[in-house]
Amino acid sequence: MRHLISMRDIGKKEILEILDEAEKMEELLKKKTPLKLLEGKILATVFYEPSTRTRLSFETAMKRLGGEVITMTDLKSSSVAKGESLIDTIRVISSYADIIVLRHPNEGAARLASEYSSVPIINAGDGSNQHPTQTLLDLYTIMREIGKIDGIKIAFVGDLKYGRTVHSLVYALSLFKNVEMYFISPKELKMPRDIIEDLKSKNIKFYEKENIEDIDDSIDVLYVTRIQKERFPDPNEYEKVKGSYRITKEFVEGKKFIIMHPLPRVDEIDYEVDNLPQAKYFKQSFYGIPVRMAILKKLIEY
């Protein structure tokens, strides 16, 4: 595991190793003892797109491990504004840092960067393609809150076409036993066909629906995503589907499932839902710290 670019690059064994290490990191965080596991190491966060949780949680994770952080987020004040290529930027920054976290709007950018970097690259999202560290913290959330991953029933709601978090998580869940999936979306935002074909080839149970009321009451996880305005090439297409689903207090009360969301949200989950026991999305966000601590430690110590 030299880099972490896609969930397809790692197997179930490595996933479980990371989740196990994340549990150890969470225990260390609870003790509030300063750590020196990555003392003297430097993380570079290189973000060509906006981010709050991913960037800050990586920076927090590195500092919790005793390391240091350098960052590039304001493209207007960097050499990118002068026309510097991604390849040259990565070549330079990899001589400054021990590991790089990269977010880029173009699919395949993280893979390209890994071919020219002298240090590990972590993909923090490349367009609508992959977001592997979000997937690992999603799996960790399911394990901590449900107690298992094998045999769960999970419903994905919202933007399944452009949602990179969904694409990565569906693939990862396909590695576990007896997982059943529901895909709830407008017809314009259905799960990409290559992912559907992959599930079929693995004989994994899944159902495609447009109405959220068609979800089986026995599901364990309701995974909600926002409809991403910035991914639509045509603004008129976004206007047709925005606000397609709204999770309300009335819909949630009495249900046994937990609610997850990669955040940020817009209007797809009412604020009244936040205080219900089913709402786990802010805890999910916290779990990003121990999971990313585990990933940083594993890659730097490789």
Side-chain angles (χ1 to χ4, degrees):
M1 194 173 152
R2 169 68 174 158
H3 306 281
L4 181 54
I5 307 300
S6 166
M7 289 306 297
R8 294 179 182 272
D9 296 337
I10 61 176
K12 184 177 179 180
K13 178 176 178 290
E14 287 173 305
I15 290 172
L16 294 175
E17 285 175 358
I18 292 170
L19 300 188
D20 183 60
E21 185 68 23
E23 199 162 6
K24 295 174 185 175
M25 292 296 111
E26 188 181 350
E27 288 303 312
L28 290 173
L29 285 173
K30 288 177 182 176
K31 294 178 181 177
K32 299 186 182 299
T33 304
L35 303 175
K36 298 183 179 181
L37 296 173
L38 294 184
E39 188 175 29
K41 301 297 183 181
I42 296 175
L43 161 70
T45 53
V46 181
F47 281 64
Y48 287 74
E49 283 189 321
S51 172
T52 301
R53 278 150 299 278
T54 302
R55 181 174 63 82
L56 291 181
S57 66
F58 261 116
E59 293 179 2
T60 301
M62 190 63 175
K63 289 178 178 290
R64 294 292 189 201
L65 289 166
E68 298 295 330
V69 177
I70 58 176
T71 187
M72 188 192 90
T73 56
D74 184 4
L75 300 185
K76 292 178 182 177
S77 62
S78 75
S79 291
V80 173
K82 301 174 184 177
E84 183 174 65
S85 69
L86 172 64
I87 291 171
D88 285 356
T89 298
I90 293 299
R91 277 176 164 158
V92 170
I93 295 176
S94 67
S95 69
Y96 298 161
D98 299 285
I99 190 165
I100 296 171
V101 176
L102 173 67
R103 171 168 289 183
H104 199 280
N106 295 340
E107 294 185 17
R111 182 80 64 193
L112 177 67
S114 71
E115 295 172 3
Y116 292 91
S117 175
S118 58
V119 300
I121 296 285
I122 297 175
N123 182 7
D126 57 335
S128 59
N129 186 29
Q130 291 280 323
H131 195 349
T133 67
Q134 178 70 45
T135 296
L136 289 163
L137 77 87
D138 289 344
L139 292 172
Y140 187 71
T141 302
I142 293 169
M143 186 181 74
R144 293 283 281 109
E145 298 299 324
I146 302 295
K148 63 176 183 176
I149 301 175
D150 287 322
I152 66 161
K153 292 182 179 181
I154 180 168
F156 295 92
V157 178
D159 181 359
L160 308 187
K161 179 179 181 180
Y162 297 113
R164 60 191 171 202
T165 60
V166 170
H167 300 165
S168 291
L169 183 54
V170 167
Y171 173 76
L173 287 171
S174 75
L175 302 177
F176 290 82
K177 296 178 181 176
N178 302 319
V179 173
E180 196 170 305
M181 306 185 208
Y182 289 78
F183 301 135
I184 316 296
S185 72
K187 61 180 182 298
E188 296 90 345
L189 296 176
K190 291 175 71 173
M191 188 66 73
R193 293 302 94 182
D194 61 315
I195 295 176
I196 293 297
E197 291 306 316
D198 183 57
L199 293 176
K200 287 180 179 177
S201 70
K202 295 174 181 175
N203 294 317
I204 293 168
K205 278 187 178 181
F206 69 90
Y207 308 89
E208 292 186 282
K209 308 281 186 181
E210 289 185 33
N211 190 342
I212 197 167
E213 301 294 337
D214 291 337
I215 296 174
D216 192 316
D217 285 341
S218 66
I219 64 165
D220 303 289
V221 180
L222 182 67
Y223 194 101
V224 185
T225 67
R226 72 184 173 94
I227 294 178
Q228 304 172 84
K229 184 178 182 179
E230 68 274 20
R231 302 291 177 207
F232 283 77
D234 182 352
N236 292 324
E237 292 302 310
Y238 169 74
E239 291 298 323
K240 291 178 184 177
V241 295
K242 73 173 185 179
S244 295
Y245 304 104
R246 192 176 185 91
I247 308 302
T248 63
K249 181 180 179 181
E250 291 72 28
F251 176 76
V252 174
E253 284 181 324
K255 304 287 200 317
K256 77 176 190 71
F257 55 66
I258 64 168
I259 304 171
M260 296 172 60
H261 192 306
L263 301 177
R265 67 171 160 187
V266 181
D267 57 4
E268 59 276 4
I269 300 178
D270 280 354
Y271 285 97
E272 288 184 337
V273 175
D274 295 354
N275 294 323
L276 297 179
Q278 294 92 335
K280 302 296 180 185
Y281 28 91
F282 293 116
K283 203 165 186 181
Q284 175 187 357
S285 183
F286 160 74
Y287 286 141
I289 304 297
V291 169
R292 288 175 171 130
M293 287 172 70
I295 293 166
L296 289 169
K297 181 173 178 288
K298 184 176 180 68
L299 284 173
I300 289 178
E301 291 181 348
Y302 173 79

